[in-house]
Amino acid sequence: MTQLIQEQDIAKRVTLVGAVWDALLGVAKIAAGYLSQSQALMADGIHSLSDLVTDVFVYFASANSRQGPDENHPYGHLRFETLTTVFLGMVLILVALGIAYESLMADSSQAEFTWYGLAALIATIVIKEAIFHYTKKAGDKIGSKMLIANAWHSRSDALSSVAVLIGLIGVYFGYGWADMVASIIVALLIGKMAVSMVWENLAELVDTAPDPKLIAQIKETANSLKHVMAPHDVRARSMAGKIYLDMHIHVPSHASVSEGHYLGDLVAYTIKKAHSQVQDVMVHIDTDDKIQTESFILESGKPPHLKLPARHQILADLGFLLRQHTNYVDIPNTRLHYLNNCLDLEIIANSLKTPEGSDLNQLTARILQELKTTNYINKASVLWVFPE
């Protein structure tokens, strides 16, 4: 939770800095474009102000998307960031279409070269490029696709200003149409960036899998651990640049529940440490004998070991079969091993509670003999404990 709050503060601070400069540069270019009768310069000013509008959306999205999970949003609020990015892209597409339309309808012959227009463009190129690096560095640091998209929006403003600068120079040398061409280039730049933004984030909203190379690297990370074999059935989805991962791993057949839980936590920790973009890992534990039965499962649709009885039924059977041994056999703590589609039992018995003078070997033989009356036990053993 603390990390999410820190990321939220970084996103809000960076966005506010960009918003202040977008407002100043937008007003300056629109004023210079109006005085110069340059449609391209005014269009570039509108582009900067559109950055300001997106900054407002990004600011409020940052304040909400980095909140932790709650009852209604168990996976957190990161999809608010994705949805906001899609909305911003659609707004920018409309901006691009409007700029292109105004450029084609305007009379570019009235455009004039002015030194204040030139100064506004050069200032925009320098400042917006600096804002791009500042914002992108922050976006990479906290893994925010929305912040990175906003950074590229800033760079598109710098690039469009370069196009307008070329058009303004063309006007200076008597090519009035250069202003219109530059304005259309601005619209194309904005449109291309916006379409790419919408497409990438729509793919995220429908849970498109991340880069296959990244998934392969994650599987290699898990497979590098001892006693963890064949990571498989890996599923992943992205939320605002963060990856949520589900995967199966094989562990040794006789691993206890606690050991399996330990290995699952070890896998999750190792993956998150090696791949910073992974936010959460859900690990399903399979025993290594399951490797041999996976093809059968695919054909029949039901794992063979599910035909065996569950724990409550087995304990009920043991309570009846071992009713003469209940004084010293700890039936509730019987260990069950579902291995190779068979059931192995470990019966726990207390040596101090046996009748005086009892032979433990004879008691063990009697217990095992009585267990043979079942048709589902493959192997059984008796573990005698000797409390101090």
Side-chain angles (χ1 to χ4, degrees):
M1 183 64 70
T2 301
Q3 180 182 355
L4 291 176
I5 294 175
Q6 291 176 346
E7 292 177 353
Q8 176 181 318
D9 291 340
I10 291 173
K12 290 166 66 177
R13 182 178 67 251
V14 169
T15 304
L16 282 175
V17 171
V20 171
W21 282 110
D22 286 336
L24 294 175
L25 293 172
V27 171
K29 285 190 287 187
I30 289 175
Y34 177 78
L35 296 174
S36 304
Q37 295 296 302
S38 171
Q39 291 295 323
L41 190 52
M42 292 183 67
D44 202 32
I46 294 173
H47 187 192
S48 292
L49 289 183
S50 73
D51 281 0
L52 176 60
V53 174
T54 60
D55 288 337
V56 173
F57 282 108
V58 170
Y59 181 86
F60 285 105
S62 299
N64 292 291
S65 64
R66 298 284 161 170
Q67 295 179 9
D70 57 30
E71 184 177 352
N72 293 324
H73 305 90
Y75 289 96
H77 298 74
L78 290 175
R79 282 283 166 85
F80 284 103
E81 183 172 313
T82 307
L83 188 61
T84 299
T85 308
V86 172
F87 177 72
L88 295 181
M90 296 175 69
V91 170
L92 291 176
I93 290 174
L94 295 177
V95 170
L97 292 174
I99 290 174
Y101 177 79
E102 291 295 331
S103 301
L104 294 173
M105 295 296 103
D107 184 3
S108 61
S109 63
Q110 297 180 1
E112 298 178 1
F113 176 88
T114 58
W115 291 107
Y116 41 80
L118 179 64
L121 288 171
I122 293 176
T124 297
I125 294 170
V126 174
I127 294 173
K128 294 296 286 187
E129 183 67 15
I131 291 176
F132 163 76
H133 289 286
Y134 175 60
T135 307
K136 187 174 185 299
K137 182 178 179 181
D140 289 334
K141 181 178 180 180
I142 67 175
S144 172
K145 292 178 69 175
M146 180 178 65
L147 214 54
I148 294 173
N150 209 31
W152 281 102
H153 192 191
S154 295
R155 170 164 275 188
S156 74
D157 198 6
L159 293 175
S160 66
S161 293
V162 172
V164 175
L165 179 61
I166 295 172
L168 203 59
I169 293 174
V171 171
Y172 179 77
F173 287 103
Y175 301 104
W177 50 265
D179 184 72
M180 180 188 69
V181 172
S183 186
I184 292 176
I185 292 175
V186 171
L188 291 175
L189 286 172
I190 298 174
K192 180 179 182 299
M193 182 269 299
V195 170
S196 176
M197 184 188 305
V198 170
W199 182 258
E200 290 179 5
N201 285 274
L202 282 178
E204 184 174 300
L205 285 176
V206 296
D207 286 337
T208 301
D211 185 356
K213 292 182 180 179
L214 175 61
I215 300 302
Q217 293 171 359
I218 290 174
K219 291 174 68 174
E220 289 179 6
T221 300
N223 209 25
S224 66
L225 297 171
K226 292 183 178 180
H227 306 304
V228 175
M229 300 164 283
H232 61 290
D233 291 347
V234 178
R235 297 185 300 176
R237 54 181 172 178
S238 298
M239 292 188 188
K242 305 291 186 181
I243 293 177
Y244 288 74
L245 190 70
D246 299 334
M247 69 187 311
H248 290 228
I249 61 171
H250 289 289
V251 301
S253 298
H254 285 85
S256 64
V257 173
S258 59
E259 183 183 0
H261 181 71
Y262 168 84
L263 292 173
D265 283 350
L266 179 62
V267 169
Y269 170 79
T270 304
I271 289 175
K272 291 169 71 174
K273 186 176 180 180
H275 307 277
S276 59
Q277 63 271 59
V278 177
Q279 180 73 16
D280 184 70
V281 183
M282 178 65 71
V283 180
H284 178 85
I285 305 298
D286 296 328
T287 55
D288 56 9
D289 66 289
K290 189 178 178 183
I291 299 176
Q292 304 171 4
T293 63
E294 283 180 345
S295 60
F296 180 87
I297 295 173
L298 291 175
E299 294 174 2
S300 66
K302 183 178 182 179
H305 58 269
L306 291 185
K307 298 178 180 179
L308 296 169
R311 183 178 186 86
H312 70 278
Q313 180 182 341
I314 295 170
L315 295 186
D317 291 345
L318 292 179
F320 175 77
L321 294 172
L322 304 180
R323 57 189 179 277
Q324 297 179 1
H325 307 276
T326 54
N327 289 336
Y328 47 87
V329 172
D330 188 2
I331 292 177
N333 286 322
T334 300
R335 299 172 185 171
L336 309 182
H337 299 282
Y338 293 89
L339 303 174
N340 299 313
N341 305 323
C342 298
L343 179 65
D344 296 349
L345 298 184
E346 292 180 0
I347 304 296
I348 310 299
N350 189 329
S351 62
L352 297 184
K353 294 184 178 181
T354 59
E356 186 176 352
S358 297
D359 185 320
L360 297 186
N361 289 328
Q362 291 181 358
L363 290 178
T364 299
R366 287 176 56 192
I367 291 173
L368 296 179
Q369 183 63 35
E370 289 165 0
L371 291 178
K372 288 182 179 180
T373 58
T374 64
N375 58 3
Y376 57 77
I377 297 177
N378 179 50
K379 291 191 303 182
S381 59
V382 180
L383 303 179
W384 291 96
V385 295
F386 299 85
E388 295 181 358

